[in-house]
Amino acid sequence: MENKLKKNLKFYSIATAIALAFAIGLFCLFFFVRGKTHGYGLINWQDSLMLTGVVVACLGGLMFVGNEGFFDFAAYGFKQLGGAMFGRKPHEYHDYPGYVQEKKAKRKSSPKAYIPVLLLGVAILVAALIVYFVYLSASK
């Protein structure tokens, strides 16, 4: 049990680091591109944080939807098509329900990659709201 916890903690740490690097890259892109025209004030910070938070939260939402099996029908179709066209493991899954059951069992035992991405997206959105309230209090 402790080995699984250690493995999951390592996985979540890596997923958080990747999501954080992606978010920092997006923030820098939005901040410096908008800064040339709008200046580098608090409103640019707020806008850049909001855009980054929305993109990261939407990415986490897509990961959640994908983890729940929404895209399984498309993946099954492409696997069947690829197997028929290229002959590698043709008809590995003879029916769609068997494919879905195997995927559900595999997902149940694996860690949820969308959790750190969603939490990071929400944290960035909260930071954007805090910066916005600071901007409102400073402008009065």
PDB file of all heavy atoms in Angstrom, residues 86 101 121 126:
ATOM      1  N   PHE A  86      -3.419  -1.524 -41.335  1.00  0.00           N
ATOM      2  CA  PHE A  86      -2.000  -1.824 -41.239  1.00  0.00           C
ATOM      3  C   PHE A  86      -1.714  -3.233 -40.746  1.00  0.00           C
ATOM      4  O   PHE A  86      -0.566  -3.633 -40.670  1.00  0.00           O
ATOM      5  CB  PHE A  86      -1.299  -0.797 -40.350  1.00  0.00           C
ATOM      6  CG  PHE A  86      -1.472   0.612 -40.852  1.00  0.00           C
ATOM      7  CD1 PHE A  86      -2.215   1.532 -40.138  1.00  0.00           C
ATOM      8  CD2 PHE A  86      -0.906   0.996 -42.050  1.00  0.00           C
ATOM      9  CE1 PHE A  86      -2.381   2.818 -40.594  1.00  0.00           C
ATOM     10  CE2 PHE A  86      -1.067   2.291 -42.518  1.00  0.00           C
ATOM     11  CZ  PHE A  86      -1.806   3.199 -41.797  1.00  0.00           C
ATOM     12  N   GLN A 101     -15.106  -1.958 -21.093  1.00  0.00           N
ATOM     13  CA  GLN A 101     -14.899  -2.590 -19.784  1.00  0.00           C
ATOM     14  C   GLN A 101     -13.403  -2.660 -19.447  1.00  0.00           C
ATOM     15  O   GLN A 101     -13.008  -2.429 -18.306  1.00  0.00           O
ATOM     16  CB  GLN A 101     -15.505  -4.001 -19.769  1.00  0.00           C
ATOM     17  CG  GLN A 101     -17.001  -4.015 -19.834  1.00  0.00           C
ATOM     18  CD  GLN A 101     -17.650  -3.387 -18.606  1.00  0.00           C
ATOM     19  OE1 GLN A 101     -17.036  -2.669 -17.827  1.00  0.00           O
ATOM     20  NE2 GLN A 101     -18.926  -3.641 -18.450  1.00  0.00           N
ATOM     21  N   GLY A 121      -5.677  25.180 -12.214  1.00  0.00           N
ATOM     22  CA  GLY A 121      -6.526  26.124 -12.941  1.00  0.00           C
ATOM     23  C   GLY A 121      -7.390  26.944 -12.003  1.00  0.00           C
ATOM     24  O   GLY A 121      -7.513  28.166 -12.157  1.00  0.00           O
ATOM     25  N   VAL A 126      -8.443  32.013  -8.905  1.00  0.00           N
ATOM     26  CA  VAL A 126      -8.567  32.714  -7.620  1.00  0.00           C
ATOM     27  C   VAL A 126      -7.528  33.824  -7.523  1.00  0.00           C
ATOM     28  O   VAL A 126      -7.823  34.936  -7.059  1.00  0.00           O
ATOM     29  CB  VAL A 126      -8.448  31.711  -6.444  1.00  0.00           C
ATOM     30  CG1 VAL A 126      -8.284  32.418  -5.120  1.00  0.00           C
ATOM     31  CG2 VAL A 126      -9.656  30.791  -6.413  1.00  0.00           C
TER      32      VAL A 126
END
